[in-house]
Amino acid sequence: MIMKKLKFIPLACMVFMISMLAIGCSNSINSDNESEGEAKTRTVKTIKGDVEVPANPKRIVVNFYQGDLLALGVKPIATEKAEGEVAFKNELDDVATIDKWEPEEVMALDPDLLIVTSEEDYEKLNKIAPTILIPFGEFSTEERVTLLGDAVGKQEEAKKVLDNFSKKVEDSKDKLDKAGVMDKTFTLLESHSGKTWIYGNKYGRGGEIFYDYLDLKAPAVIEKEIIDADQYREISLEALSEYCGDYVINSTWGGKDTLSDNDVWNNTTAVKEGRVIKTSAELYFYVDIYSMDVQLDNFVDAILATTDK
């Protein structure tokens, strides 16, 4: 009887071990099946209709909104060439640049998602990989960042980025209000190659930050001729004083100031009272949320510095 029990123990162990192996294999198979069952694509609603994109795109090519992607924690594999001291310059050191955006050039990168800003690029490239068209200027920052979050599977990150930027804007407005500058007028001026342009709340140069987010005021002539007309325009040097408000943001390409020797410019109130803020056009060209976050800090610090004098 004792011998029978001793013989039975190894047999029982063996049965137990076989059972556990079977369970383990079953779990492994189930796990594999679950992985295989995970969605490999997602559907994103765009102005071109529903676009099926990879659930987790890894090879993204974008031709303007690289800063938005960086803010979401996503680095593209290729983008347009961004010259000068742009806000995200160091973030793109190892990212390829595309010159002509021709199909052969883009196809060679083997992208799994394309993000473009023009109808022309969309038509040329959408057969290469799933393509999201986001026309420049037709989406608000909130709409654009939310759409990009959907496209690259970073919906929660998009919400967080937008919430953080909104809070920074409110904090900035509070600082400017306490400094007594919210009732001042601001002019966004760009000068290079002997020409001078005035910008409104579109086309970068800080316009969205000043007029849309910080709710700062433009001179009446700029409000009427430029902001209400959704455009920017070249003005003559003789008309400078008419367009210059209490503050002037003077952006230049390549750092060369073409106004410093002009008598009309030097006799404006902003120049005489030390309320000219010089900036590089390269830094303020982009309107992605990564760039605007940096621009906002720079602008507010520069404005507050004039009130300490």
Side-chain angles (χ1 to χ4, degrees):
M1 185 71 176
I2 293 175
M3 291 298 294
K4 286 182 180 179
K5 287 183 178 179
L6 288 174
K7 288 180 180 179
F8 176 75
I9 292 173
L11 181 60
C13 288
M14 187 177 296
V15 171
F16 176 75
M17 290 172 64
I18 292 172
S19 298
M20 292 306 294
L21 283 170
I23 293 172
C25 290
S26 175
N27 286 341
S28 176
I29 292 170
N30 288 338
S31 176
D32 289 342
N33 287 338
E34 288 173 6
S35 297
E36 291 174 2
E38 291 178 2
K40 295 181 180 179
T41 62
R42 286 177 295 102
T43 300
V44 178
K45 295 186 179 299
T46 78
I47 63 171
K48 286 295 185 179
D50 290 348
V51 177
E52 193 173 2
V53 302
N56 296 291
K58 302 297 183 184
R59 301 185 60 79
I60 302 171
V61 173
V62 56
N63 70 353
F64 191 72
Y65 303 120
Q66 57 270 65
D68 287 326
L69 292 181
L70 292 172
L72 297 176
V74 175
K75 181 177 284 191
I77 63 164
T79 185
E80 68 170 4
K81 187 175 183 179
E83 298 183 352
E85 296 300 317
V86 298
F88 43 73
K89 179 180 179 181
N90 294 333
E91 301 290 341
L92 297 177
D93 281 346
D94 57 347
V95 173
T97 57
I98 302 177
D99 293 323
K100 297 181 180 179
W101 290 89
E102 293 300 328
E104 297 78 9
E105 188 180 15
V106 175
M107 192 179 303
L109 296 165
D110 190 27
D112 58 8
L113 179 64
L114 301 175
I115 300 168
V116 300
T117 61
S118 73
E119 185 79 30
E120 179 185 359
D121 284 338
Y122 178 84
E123 293 300 329
K124 284 196 304 184
L125 306 175
N126 77 85
K127 300 293 191 299
I128 297 173
T131 305
I132 306 293
L133 171 63
I134 307 178
F136 178 80
E138 293 188 19
F139 287 69
S140 69
T141 299
E142 291 74 15
E143 291 169 337
R144 188 184 68 248
V145 173
T146 298
L147 174 55
L148 286 169
D150 288 343
V152 301
K154 297 287 184 179
Q155 293 89 341
E156 289 302 314
E157 289 83 348
K159 184 178 184 305
K160 184 177 180 180
V161 165
L162 290 169
D163 287 346
N164 288 343
F165 185 71
S166 179
K167 184 179 184 304
K168 177 178 280 192
V169 168
E170 292 307 312
D171 290 343
S172 298
K173 289 168 68 174
D174 186 55
K175 290 177 182 177
L176 295 175
D177 187 42
K178 289 177 179 177
V181 300
M182 291 298 289
D183 62 341
K184 305 297 183 183
T185 55
F186 290 78
T187 296
L188 304 180
L189 179 153
E190 181 176 293
S191 58
H192 65 86
S193 305
K195 297 182 179 181
T196 302
W197 287 265
I198 301 294
Y199 283 83
N201 62 336
K202 295 185 183 298
Y203 307 105
R205 281 71 173 186
E208 290 82 357
I209 291 174
F210 274 86
Y211 303 132
D212 292 343
Y213 288 104
L214 292 178
D215 293 327
L216 294 168
K217 296 186 294 186
V221 64
I222 293 177
E223 190 75 43
K224 179 181 179 181
E225 295 182 6
I226 297 174
I227 294 178
D228 289 349
D230 283 341
Q231 65 176 0
Y232 61 93
R233 61 173 295 186
E234 182 184 355
I235 63 167
S236 66
L237 293 179
E238 291 73 22
L240 267 175
S241 57
E242 182 183 349
Y243 287 85
C244 289
D246 299 312
Y247 280 83
V248 175
I249 313 304
N250 180 19
S251 65
T252 58
W253 290 94
K256 185 178 180 181
D257 186 351
T258 59
L259 293 176
S260 57
D261 296 328
N262 181 270
D263 289 339
V264 176
W265 167 251
N266 289 323
N267 281 305
T268 61
T269 302
V271 173
K272 289 182 176 180
E273 296 185 358
R275 290 178 174 172
V276 174
I277 296 171
K278 294 183 178 181
T279 64
S280 71
E282 294 93 342
L283 177 59
Y284 298 92
F285 178 77
Y286 287 94
V287 294
D288 58 86
I289 200 161
Y290 186 107
S291 296
M292 287 200 298
D293 190 78
V294 174
Q295 294 164 7
L296 179 59
D297 286 337
N298 289 355
F299 279 138
V300 172
D301 288 346
I303 294 169
L304 293 178
T306 68
T307 66
D308 295 335
K309 296 179 181 179

